[in-house]
Amino acid sequence: MGIRILNGGFLTTVQDMGRYGSQETGMAVSGVMDTRAAALADILVGNDENEAVLEVTMMGPIMEFTEDELIAVTGGDLGAKVDGNPLPRYEAVLIKAGQTVSFGGMYGGSRAYMAFAGGLDVPVVMGSRSTNLKAKIGGIEGRKLGAGDEIGFRSPKTWLPNMAARKLLLPELFSREHTLRVVMGPQDDCFTEEGISTFLGSAYTISNEYDRMGCRMEGPVIAHKNGGDIITDGISFGAVQVPSHGNPIVMMADHQTTGGYTKIACVVSVDLPELAQCMPGHTVRFKKIGIEEAQELYCQWRDYLKRLEKELNCPAEPASELQAVGLAAAVNEDRRYWGDHGTYRVVVNGTEFLVELKREIEQFR
């Protein structure tokens, strides 16, 4: 089968990279808040980066696995555990049928992502499996997960090539102060020079009004020339609206398709994951960059994902005859002097090899 939800936590939903192509009808894109963490989780378990994941917000769920499956948990450190023991983050891990995964706290960041090798058996609605809570479509009946929900695996896996390499460094998520790079516009000409200087030179505090739709901030008033209302136009993920009250609101994953408030700037896509992990009370500053730099940052991120996916999914080169002899010598040597893991020097016909042995753990085959 897959997973059985015992407790849904605060807000756990099925999300992918979003529902594109329908904004003209008023349908929001939705999708994951932290695109970086979700993409890495999927790649670690061999999925396409657009495969659906579980987005866990703050207080996480408790779920029982009813089938063996490889998973990866990324994003915020929300105290993930398997059968009460710490569950490694940013690493492909095999969970056995009957084991329970839970989340027990908030130690850094606010959203965690769980990817499942082969994907979740969730219907595709308008080209996406993402949950749109306001429209009540996608995911599991368009709502957050709750006790008793069951989700199957489409093509579960217990092993992938290069398993030992499917592990990444943990990100730093403990700062309470953040700098978000922005590209100015499209309505930055609606603000006074003083207003622009205030926006770029002030610190803003994330308020309690922060959800999947938008992140409202409080701080020095950003002065308009003639008020904050405009003829309604399109909204993008990261757009920084400034209504007449003068405080910024950054539009997030569930943002509306159009809006009638002036947009002073847009947070660049590579910095939105940092904002997605922020909490009320954190401090934000905005830094202006050019569109060319924003595009270069995005291209660098895309290149990294392509390289990572290629490295993890590329089959290992077959060993040469000499390498095979060296490995066999290391494995079969008298175990009174050799352990079953470690790095050993082996010389075959005058050619030196460093052979690394690792204990084979059955559950990770």
Side-chain angles (χ1 to χ4, degrees), residues 173-201:
L173 294 170
F174 301 104
S175 177
R176 295 179 58 87
E177 298 182 358
H178 311 269
T179 298
L180 303 178
R181 290 165 290 192
V182 298
V183 174
M184 300 302 291
Q187 285 98 33
D188 52 324
D189 57 347
C190 293
F191 299 85
T192 65
E193 290 186 12
E194 180 184 358
I196 297 292
S197 297
T198 298
F199 172 67
L200 296 174

Side-chain angles (χ1 to χ4, degrees), residues 42-357:
D42 269 327
I43 289 174
L44 282 170
V45 295
N47 292 342
D48 180 89
E49 65 184 87
N50 191 47
E51 187 57 68
V53 298
L54 293 187
E55 180 177 88
V56 177
T57 304
M58 295 192 289
M59 302 301 293
I62 302 173
M63 65 189 75
E64 178 187 3
F65 280 64
T66 57
E67 187 172 0
D68 295 357
E69 174 68 303
L70 278 173
I71 70 166
V73 176
T74 60
D77 183 359
L78 304 187
K81 295 183 178 182
V82 54
D83 288 345
N85 299 310
L87 174 63
R89 296 166 52 236
Y90 285 85
E91 181 176 348
V93 178
L94 178 64
I95 306 297
K96 292 280 193 174
Q99 291 189 302
T100 299
V101 171
S102 61
F103 294 80
M106 296 179 62
Y107 305 101
S110 60
R111 292 177 173 86
Y113 294 85
M114 182 182 294
F116 303 81
L120 294 172
D121 189 12
V122 175
V124 175
V125 180
M126 299 174 70
S128 171
R129 292 183 168 88
S130 283
T131 305
N132 183 319
L133 294 170
K134 294 186 181 298
K136 298 182 180 180
I137 67 168
I140 303 299
E141 300 174 352
R143 56 172 173 78
K144 66 179 184 179
L145 299 186
D149 287 335
E150 295 188 17
I151 306 177
F153 302 140
R154 295 207 314 278
S155 181
K157 296 175 175 59
T158 59
W159 180 88
L160 290 167
N162 303 307
M163 280 297 298
R166 294 181 180 273
K167 180 178 182 180
L168 302 174
L169 294 176
L170 298 179
E172 174 61 58
L173 294 170
F174 301 104
S175 177
R176 295 179 58 87
E177 298 182 358
H178 311 269
T179 298
L180 303 178
R181 290 165 290 192
V182 298
V183 174
M184 300 302 291
Q187 285 98 33
D188 52 324
D189 57 347
C190 293
F191 299 85
T192 65
E193 290 186 12
E194 180 184 358
I196 297 292
S197 297
T198 298
F199 172 67
L200 296 174
S202 303
Y204 290 87
T205 302
I206 296 176
S207 76
N208 289 327
E209 296 181 68
Y210 181 17
D211 58 18
R212 282 183 47 85
M213 185 172 182
C215 177
R216 187 181 295 268
M217 303 181 186
E218 299 172 344
V221 172
I222 302 168
H224 294 84
K225 290 179 179 177
N226 297 297
D229 295 332
I230 59 171
I231 296 175
T232 296
D233 66 358
I235 298 287
S236 63
F237 193 173
V240 185
Q241 286 189 328
V242 184
S244 295
H245 57 58
N247 274 179
I249 306 171
V250 181
M251 299 291 100
M252 301 303 286
D254 280 350
H255 64 81
Q256 68 274 33
T257 57
T258 63
Y261 295 135
T262 47
K263 296 176 289 297
I264 193 170
C266 188
V267 178
V268 300
S269 57
V270 296
D271 283 359
L272 284 170
E274 182 171 354
L275 181 57
Q277 294 296 344
C278 287
M279 292 285 293
H282 285 198
T283 300
V284 171
R285 291 181 177 273
F286 298 99
K287 177 183 178 181
K288 175 184 175 181
I289 66 171
I291 184 68
E292 294 82 5
E293 183 177 353
Q295 291 171 339
E296 179 61 25
L297 290 168
Y298 179 73
C299 289
Q300 290 174 4
W301 166 243
R302 297 302 312 167
D303 288 342
Y304 168 73
L305 285 185
K306 289 179 182 178
R307 290 197 306 272
L308 179 63
E309 187 172 15
K310 182 177 180 180
E311 289 171 4
L312 295 182
N313 295 327
C314 180
E317 290 290 330
S320 68
E321 290 185 8
L322 279 179
Q323 289 170 330
V325 170
L327 180 59
V331 170
N332 293 300
E333 187 59 49
D334 190 334
R335 291 305 176 91
R336 290 176 300 175
Y337 308 105
W338 294 64
D340 55 5
H341 64 283
T343 301
Y344 301 96
R345 175 177 174 269
V346 179
V347 179
V348 181
N349 292 338
T351 301
E352 180 179 307
F353 297 94
L354 289 180
V355 179
E356 183 180 358
L357 299 182

